[in-house]
Amino acid sequence: MRSVGAVVTVLLALVVIWYAAAVWMNSGWALAQAERQGEVLSFGEVVADTMAQKRPRLPAPHQVFAELWDSTVEKRVTSKRSLVFHGWITLQSTLWGFALGTFVGIALAVGIVYSRVMELSVMPWAVISQTIPIVALAPMIIVLSSSAGIEGRGVPKAIISAYLCFFPVLVGMVKGLRAPSRDQLDLMRTYGATGGDVFWKLRLPASVPYLFASLKIGIAAALVGTIVGELPTGAIRGLGARILIGDQFGNPIMIWSALFAAAILAGGLVILFGVIEKLTLRRMGAAR
């Protein structure tokens, strides 16, 4: 109950700060309009105006949640105005990119753990790759995909998603595969275990907690990569497209509702992987 109370308190504080910021940022337009009409607004009238503007600088929480409700519950899931529809489009590319990034990350981690040459050559480049701004890299990937004859936007979005996803998996798996102590490795050798036995029966099970911690970071990063990939492609479907359309038409409420939909989707995916982690560790007899 104390944890729930703390969470609720923090949420209420954030909502109060959000409302206060909305009044402060939106009051300029309300006062300017009143001045043009020769009117003087009271504080209550200013607050009321800032809470109901159609194109506010900062939408109030109730405006964002009303748009979320209208775009999810009130719209059919097949409608192009439904955030459920656009979220599904983004989720598909996210899952493909996540699968690709996870495979690449695990494969590179195994190579780095078992090969000193790969550790010295691949790991530095993997770290350097994360310093390149994804906003600058995304258009290059899209152009190269088009030059290679790849039609559609799904593949470049998945590649961009995988690019952001593979690094957390790589780092986590390297840490996890090296988690067994020297005594445990010596014991396996004493039993006459082969390299494959050491990997499958010791290193891989020891890496599972590290892997799931990385996967929860990776799936959120993959979603961000997909949304970023939707922006320069001129996509008309997906959460990134909704953000872009809202920006083009000067509709901050649409932008914020799409951002909240992306956050809810990311939170749901992280929770899902948390549940899978608990079930897996319990199955292995290592539940925490």
Side-chain angles (χ1 to χ4, degrees):
M1 291 299 296
R2 290 181 179 178
S3 300
V4 174
V7 172
V8 172
T9 301
V10 171
L11 289 177
L12 289 176
L14 290 175
V15 170
V16 171
I17 294 172
W18 187 353
Y19 269 113
V23 172
W24 175 57
M25 296 186 66
N26 300 332
S27 60
W29 186 87
L31 294 173
Q33 290 296 108
E35 184 178 355
R36 290 177 182 175
Q37 297 174 5
E39 300 176 355
V40 178
L41 299 179
S42 65
F43 178 75
E45 291 173 330
V46 171
V47 172
D49 186 274
T50 58
M51 294 294 103
Q53 293 178 8
K54 293 183 178 180
R55 298 180 185 275
R57 290 184 177 180
L58 177 63
H62 67 272
Q63 292 179 298
V64 176
F65 293 132
E67 177 68 18
L68 269 175
W69 179 268
D70 181 67
S71 302
T72 53
V73 179
E74 299 294 335
K75 295 287 190 302
R76 293 182 302 173
V77 295
T78 56
S79 172
K80 292 184 179 180
R81 294 187 177 182
S82 170
L83 284 176
V84 177
F85 170 80
H86 291 284
W88 171 246
I89 298 298
T90 299
L91 179 61
Q92 286 179 304
S93 296
T94 298
L95 294 179
W96 280 112
F98 174 73
L100 176 61
T102 300
F103 174 79
V104 172
I106 293 176
L108 290 177
V110 173
I112 288 171
V113 169
Y114 281 93
S115 172
R116 180 66 175 171
V117 174
M118 282 197 65
E119 180 180 8
L120 296 176
S121 60
V122 174
M123 196 62 179
W125 285 108
V127 174
I128 292 172
S129 70
Q130 300 304 297
T131 64
I132 303 174
I134 189 62
V135 176
L137 189 62
M140 297 171 57
I141 295 175
I142 295 166
V143 171
L144 291 175
S145 300
S146 178
S147 301
I150 299 175
E151 299 181 357
R153 301 180 178 90
V155 173
K157 287 196 299 182
I159 293 174
I160 297 167
S161 176
Y163 173 79
L164 287 184
C165 169
F166 91 95
F167 186 71
V169 177
L170 169 64
V171 174
M173 278 301 291
V174 169
K175 180 68 174 178
L177 292 173
R178 288 176 172 169
S181 65
R182 183 176 296 276
D183 291 340
Q184 292 173 319
L185 295 171
D186 290 340
L187 181 61
M188 291 292 290
R189 296 190 186 97
T190 302
Y191 290 154
T194 64
D197 292 332
V198 173
F199 177 80
W200 292 108
K201 297 180 180 180
L202 180 58
R203 289 189 183 275
L204 188 60
S207 69
V208 170
Y210 298 89
L211 174 61
F212 274 104
S214 301
L215 292 180
K216 286 186 282 188
I217 299 173
I219 191 65
L223 179 62
V224 172
T226 301
I227 293 175
V228 171
E230 289 173 343
L231 298 179
T233 60
I236 58 175
R237 300 186 300 175
L239 295 177
R242 291 288 291 180
I243 295 172
L244 186 61
I245 292 172
D247 180 66
Q248 291 174 342
F249 286 91
N251 190 341
I253 298 177
M254 180 186 294
I255 297 173
W256 277 78
S257 63
L259 289 173
F260 265 79
I264 293 170
L265 179 58
L269 291 172
V270 172
I271 292 173
L272 175 62
F273 275 94
V275 173
I276 297 174
E277 177 187 15
K278 289 183 178 180
L279 294 176
T280 302
L281 293 178
R282 185 179 303 169
R283 181 79 174 179
M284 295 172 60
R288 292 177 291 180

